[in-house]
Amino acid sequence: MPQPDLTLTPAGPALAPRYDDPAARPHGPGRGPRDRAPVPPRPSSRNPYRRLFARPGTLAFTVGGLIGRLPAGMFGVSAVIMIASAYGSYALAGAVTATGLAVGSVVAPLTARLVDRYGQARVAVPAAAYAFLGQLVLALCVHERAPAWALFATVALTATFPNTGGMSRARWAHLLRDDPGALHTANSFEQAVDELCFMLGPVLAALLCSALFPEAGTLGACVLFLGGTLLFAAQRSTEPPVAPRVPAGSPLRAPGTVPLLAVFLATGAVFGSMEVVTLAYVDGPVAGPVLALQAAGSCAAGLLYGRARRTARLRTCLAAMTVLMALPLLAASTGSLLALAAGLLVAGMATAPTMVTGMGLVQRRTPPGRLNEGMTLAVTALLAGIATGSASGGWAADHAPFPAFGFLVPVAAAAVALALCAAADMTKARRSW
């Protein structure tokens, strides 16, 4: 029987809140006098998501997290459009956004460590406010045609975006640590939210920049980002308690963490390369909607995966991803845009289950009190893989001997991720791979 992909990983020593469960009441001859009176049964829903959000405070922090995470898919597109329109150089726009991503990948784990040590609200709010000011300065520099070095300096010095998705998962892990099935549903929902944000974010950014003015996408993303983070941080009742300062060490020292991060790196290359080669292949105004079908498939699969009572192994998910990523290659070989759209929709269905299972392994291997840091390291590896895949996919698109050649890159990246997972030593600490 496959091992569950998620285990109980408390973010702190406090007890989880108790909720009234009619099924847990004592019954039979051993009942107390107060329990002998007939109690009308409370209606229970078979929908695991409805049961999930029936818990106090969960809907409020989820809404705040959704608003705060939507700009994750907006900032990059907005910066490229804004800088390219002002300076006439996509190379400069890409270099500036890449600089912010590179610096953020270093700062994010440090920020997450502070979150674990001092609490989400105390760290996330000032970090978000500082990043918010940095984006405003960037928009002002672009509007005033400041020297290029000012753009690089601004994004490098203000890349302090907190990982709202990781903090939201940490809240679920704290609230549901006595219910692994509900925790699986919550993590599946979080992955679906990520896919939704990266599906809608670029569309909203492009709409704002084209309908209003080039800086509108960045300004709109700033407002959503800070407002959502403040709303999320204000929900103190569901915030995990601060972990005691124990010599747990870095999550990188936990058994199996480094090989798992390598798998995340290769998986990110799948996403980055698929985006670039699809845009290069379609090369037109419908490229965005066609590419969004992959995120739509992943979002739907994530919600369905959350309803499943059993979870798959990571190796199984990666094997399915490797097979399904071949569908866009076969569809592109036919020259049919409709076939490619259908191939991307089906291929995207392997994304969410893989990410949910991988994040579950990260939670399992992260020492108590370092959950935010561990998940942020996974996101950092994923972003590094996306950057690598984007570069590889761009090179393949430019040197393609035939139109569909670039779609070989995501297939190869998925195969590498599967090989890395299979090559990991099957010790007791990694048996659930």
Side-chain angles (χ1 to χ4, degrees):
M1 179 180 295
Q3 299 286 336
D5 66 326
L6 298 177
T7 59
L8 308 180
T9 55
L15 294 175
R18 295 183 178 179
Y19 303 95
D20 189 22
D21 185 4
R25 294 191 180 112
H27 56 279
R31 291 189 301 179
R34 295 182 179 180
D35 294 319
R36 290 175 182 170
V39 178
R42 295 176 58 185
S44 60
S45 172
R46 294 184 178 181
N47 188 331
Y49 294 104
R50 182 173 297 179
R51 295 197 302 269
L52 198 67
F53 291 107
R55 298 173 182 268
T58 55
L59 183 60
F61 84 75
T62 299
V63 171
L66 174 61
I67 297 173
R69 286 150 71 179
L70 181 60
M74 298 177 62
F75 279 120
V77 174
S78 299
V80 169
I81 295 175
M82 177 177 65
I83 297 173
S85 63
Y87 293 84
S89 173
Y90 280 97
L92 176 61
V96 171
T97 55
T99 299
L101 180 63
V103 176
S105 66
V106 177
V107 176
L110 302 177
T111 304
R113 180 177 298 182
L114 294 176
V115 168
D116 287 325
R117 180 174 299 178
Y118 299 107
Q120 293 183 354
R122 290 184 63 185
V123 176
V125 171
Y130 186 69
F132 169 82
L133 293 176
Q135 289 297 308
L136 293 183
V137 172
L138 177 63
L140 180 61
C141 289
V142 173
H143 182 74
E144 298 296 330
R145 306 296 193 275
W149 64 264
L151 309 184
F152 286 101
T154 299
V155 298
L157 294 175
T158 59
T160 60
F161 296 91
N163 182 9
T164 309
M167 291 189 295
S168 183
R169 288 176 171 89
R171 293 196 180 209
W172 287 119
H174 167 64
L175 295 174
L176 305 175
R177 62 191 187 191
D178 292 331
D179 191 345
L183 183 56
H184 164 69
T185 301
N187 277 335
S188 298
F189 174 79
E190 290 293 326
Q191 186 60 39
V193 169
D194 285 341
E195 299 297 337
L196 181 66
C197 291
F198 281 102
M199 180 173 60
L200 298 180
V203 177
L204 179 59
L207 178 63
L208 290 174
C209 292
S210 59
L212 300 178
F213 48 91
E215 295 85 3
T218 298
L219 297 179
C222 285
V223 173
L224 291 173
F225 167 67
L226 184 59
T229 303
L230 291 176
L231 178 60
F232 177 86
Q235 313 308 315
R236 303 300 294 271
S237 64
T238 54
E239 180 178 350
V242 176
R245 299 186 64 176
V246 295
S250 170
L252 292 173
R253 298 180 181 178
T257 297
V258 173
L260 183 58
L261 293 180
V263 172
F264 270 91
L265 182 69
T267 305
V270 176
F271 307 148
S273 59
M274 182 64 79
E275 178 179 357
V276 172
V277 300
T278 300
L279 292 174
Y281 180 87
V282 178
D283 192 22
V286 298
V290 169
L291 186 61
L293 289 174
Q294 183 182 1
S298 180
C299 181
L303 294 176
L304 291 175
Y305 193 56
R307 297 176 65 94
R309 295 184 178 181
R310 291 187 178 183
T311 57
R313 293 176 181 265
L314 182 59
R315 286 175 293 173
T316 303
C317 293
L318 290 172
M321 175 179 282
T322 304
V323 173
L324 293 181
M325 285 300 160
L327 294 180
L329 171 64
L330 298 176
S333 300
T334 66
S336 171
L337 187 59
L338 291 178
L340 176 60
L344 288 171
L345 179 66
V346 177
M349 294 180 179
T351 300
T354 302
M355 294 305 303
V356 171
T357 306
M359 280 296 183
L361 289 173
V362 172
Q363 290 181 341
R364 188 187 306 183
R365 281 154 177 74
T366 302
R370 294 291 183 90
L371 189 56
N372 286 288
E373 183 180 356
M375 288 190 293
T376 302
L377 285 172
V379 172
T380 298
L382 192 69
L383 292 176
I386 291 175
T388 303
S390 298
S392 302
W395 181 90
D398 288 341
H399 299 82
F402 53 90
F405 176 79
F407 288 97
L408 288 170
V409 179
V411 178
V416 170
L418 176 60
L420 290 172
C421 182
D425 295 335
M426 293 295 101
T427 62
K428 291 183 179 180
R430 302 170 191 166
R431 189 169 291 172
S432 60
W433 283 44

